[in-house]
Amino acid sequence: MSASSPSALGPVPSLDSLRAPLPAETDVAIVGGGIAGAALAFYLARAGVEVVLVDRGELNREASGTNAGSFHLQLAIHQLSGAGTGADRDRLLADARLSLEAYRLWQELDDELDGDVHLHETGGWMVAETPEQVQVLRDKHELEQLAGIETEVVEGDALRERAPYLSPRVLAATYCPTEGHADPLSVTPLYAVRAAEHGAQLRTHVSVQAIDHHPDQPHRFTVRTDQGDLRARRVVDCAGAWSGEVAAMVGLRLPVRHEGLHVNVTERRPRLLPSMVQHIGRRLTLKQSSQGTFIIGGGWPAPAVPLPQRYPTRWQSAAGNVAVALDVVPALGDARVVRTWSGVIVFTDDMSPVVGESELVPGFFACIASTGFTFSPMFARQLAAQMSAPGEHEPFPERYAVDRAQP
Ligand SMILES: Cc1cc2nc3c(=O)[nH]c(=O)nc-3n(C[C@H](O)[C@H](O)[C@H](O)COP(=O)(O)OP(=O)(O)OC[C@H]3O[C@@H](n4cnc5c(N)ncnc54)[C@H](O)[C@@H]3O)c2cc1C
């Protein structure tokens, strides 16, 4: 790897190496240079595995670089839907336990990557405005306690005292002291730089267009790109919102769909919000950055358009998202929104991630998660451990199975 100008990250892979010709072959080809792909490249290369990562655009340009940067450790509304059945309760408990593992990884990440991912452990509120929502908070708090996640239900005077910025409309809230946020613009580049230092080859502006499968050859896959062919023993689908298209290239159907999401940011304001705020029943995540701006998101839609266009933002989403924020934190009333942007997120139909190796197409792996800024580093580390020492680690739970959506 040649180095260009130094930065806070240390030497940055030069454009020459990112745009160098593709190698002819590799052990592992990773498709996608977001947080999942870059983290996986790092953990594999560090374990001595030969890796080539390709992305059709720039690294960190899609969901991983456009997200809101929150760690969501409390169980959220999309996870809780249908929580009544035993199976759902087991899933929620397992999800909550995973959150703890993800949290521990994030705490170690600066040291592991020898850099600064701008981790701020600010704590987080999840608020309720109706008696029904308060009950959901209580139920989820019970599950979180069982799983070992520290949360508490706060209401009445105690809530007013501890969070005077919350509107009187807020009847109760759960507080989780270990939630917070990190910088989406730092984490993936840092993983990528450290992966390259360990020998991973990263290539941008390489679009994967087809994958040929030759099960009887040592290099079981030929990854066909607009920059030539790459033969690989193993392929990992880290293509996020487009992971279904990449899996379809080897004949697999993944249980994924994607949606455009809208985010807003305001001008800088004096310090008001020490902790992140989410809503248990309405689409809101809200936090004040260390620069003083408020980042307002929570899942408002951005309409889909064909590539290479980027999903546009909509005034309806900006207005709707800001209206919920004002209902919850009225003091935002005089903060002007100065920028909006969109990103494309992948959702799995059953809320579980897609991580591991396909049994139908051995050698084809996936690493895909919806709350992926929080969880992808952990899944990437677990997957890298399995791939670098096959058979020596606990297999992933059945509900993560890559093949589970096959007809
Ligand atoms: C607006 C928004 C807000 C979010 N907020 C949060 C949050 O606060 N907290 C949280 O935990 N998560 C959040 N998420 C989710 C999180 O950002 C994603 O789950 C995570 O970034 C997914 O990472 P990834 O690497 O799997 O995918 P991506 O970052 O999307 O990367 C996939 C890469 O694959 C490449 N690719 C696709 N097809 C091909 C191909 N054929 N050939 C070559 N390359 C290809 C793409 O160019 C892209 O770079 C948010 C997402 C969005 C969109």
Side-chain angles (χ1 to χ4, degrees):
M1 183 186 80
S2 58
S4 64
S5 58
S7 78
L9 301 177
V12 172
S14 74
L15 268 187
D16 289 348
S17 69
L18 289 174
R19 303 296 293 271
L22 266 185
E25 59 183 44
T26 184
D27 179 353
V28 177
I30 297 175
V31 185
I35 193 167
L40 184 66
F42 167 72
Y43 292 118
L44 283 173
R46 192 177 65 172
V49 177
E50 183 187 35
V51 178
V52 175
L53 177 153
V54 297
D55 196 291
R56 67 180 165 209
E58 302 290 346
L59 302 177
N60 204 36
R61 186 68 185 91
E62 298 297 345
S64 301
T66 55
N67 66 55
S70 316
F71 301 132
H72 293 295
L73 303 184
Q74 300 190 55
L75 292 166
I77 189 67
H78 68 275
Q79 292 168 291
L80 289 165
S81 45
T85 66
D88 275 335
R89 199 177 156 85
D90 290 348
R91 172 178 62 79
L92 287 168
L93 269 176
D95 283 356
R97 291 193 179 106
L98 270 180
S99 298
L100 280 182
E101 198 174 333
Y103 167 67
R104 284 194 277 271
L105 179 147
W106 275 98
Q107 280 188 311
E108 295 160 8
L109 208 47
D110 278 355
D111 284 344
E112 188 164 42
L113 296 178
D114 190 20
D116 188 354
V117 298
H118 303 279
L119 174 66
H120 298 283
E121 205 175 309
T122 59
W125 293 104
M126 189 170 286
V127 303
E129 290 181 89
T130 66
E132 294 74 26
Q133 290 170 357
V134 174
Q135 190 54 49
V136 180
L137 284 187
R138 291 190 203 289
D139 295 346
K140 96 175 175 61
H141 165 65
E142 190 196 313
L143 281 172
E144 287 160 350
Q145 275 190 315
L146 277 174
I149 295 186
E150 200 183 330
T151 56
E152 58 179 316
V153 183
V154 188
E155 46 198 321
D157 290 347
L159 183 60
R160 304 291 152 234
E161 202 173 301
R162 287 176 56 181
Y165 42 83
L166 292 177
S167 143
R169 295 169 62 115
V170 174
L171 301 181
T174 42
Y175 183 71
C176 174
T178 44
E179 285 190 322
H181 57 95
D183 180 11
L185 299 182
S186 301
V187 184
T188 302
L190 194 46
Y191 265 126
V193 169
R194 298 297 176 240
E197 286 172 0
H198 283 286
Q201 302 207 48
L202 313 177
R203 297 290 185 271
T204 56
H205 298 272
V206 176
S207 175
V208 174
Q209 303 185 326
I211 303 176
D212 297 346
H213 184 211
H214 336 279
D216 303 331
Q217 296 177 19
H219 287 85
R220 284 180 281 196
F221 301 96
T222 303
V223 180
R224 300 204 179 277
T225 83
D226 58 352
Q227 304 298 318
D229 293 349
L230 169 65
R231 297 191 314 131
R233 290 191 177 84
R234 299 179 280 182
V235 171
V236 191
D237 182 351
C238 291
W242 301 274
S243 52
E245 293 165 22
V246 172
M249 294 176 191
V250 294
L252 289 177
R253 189 158 91 191
L254 297 185
V256 295
R257 63 191 163 80
H258 59 267
E259 282 177 22
L261 298 186
H262 180 112
V263 187
N264 314 276
V265 64
T266 71
E267 61 188 337
R268 294 177 187 205
R269 306 294 293 166
R271 186 121 311 266
L272 170 74
L273 273 188
S275 302
M276 178 167 74
V277 178
Q278 300 174 71
H279 206 296
I280 188 65
R282 298 172 74 190
R283 284 181 279 174
L284 176 68
T285 62
L286 169 63
K287 58 188 158 297
Q288 191 167 18
S289 71
S290 44
Q291 294 83 31
T293 59
F294 293 97
I295 299 164
I296 306 170
W300 287 78
V305 290
L307 285 168
Q309 298 174 72
R310 302 198 67 81
Y311 287 23
T313 57
R314 299 195 321 169
W315 70 264
Q316 294 93 330
S317 285
N321 203 168
V322 167
V324 182
L326 289 177
D327 281 350
V328 173
V329 180
L332 288 181
D334 65 348
R336 283 177 300 183
V337 170
V338 293
R339 191 162 73 86
T340 60
W341 72 87
S342 72
V344 191
I345 192 170
V346 63
F347 285 112
T348 56
D349 297 335
D350 52 13
M351 313 294 167
S352 291
V354 184
V355 187
E357 182 175 12
S358 165
E359 288 183 4
L360 295 171
V361 184
F364 187 87
F365 296 74
C367 187
I368 300 150
S370 298
T371 315
F373 186 66
T374 308
F375 290 109
S376 291
M378 178 188 64
F379 290 132
R381 188 162 74 177
Q382 293 173 345
L383 183 60
Q386 292 203 359
M387 293 178 72
S388 46
E392 287 182 19
H393 298 270
E394 280 274 297
F396 288 109
E398 197 54 38
R399 66 194 179 94
Y400 295 9
V402 175
D403 302 325
R404 66 186 187 266
Q406 299 316 303

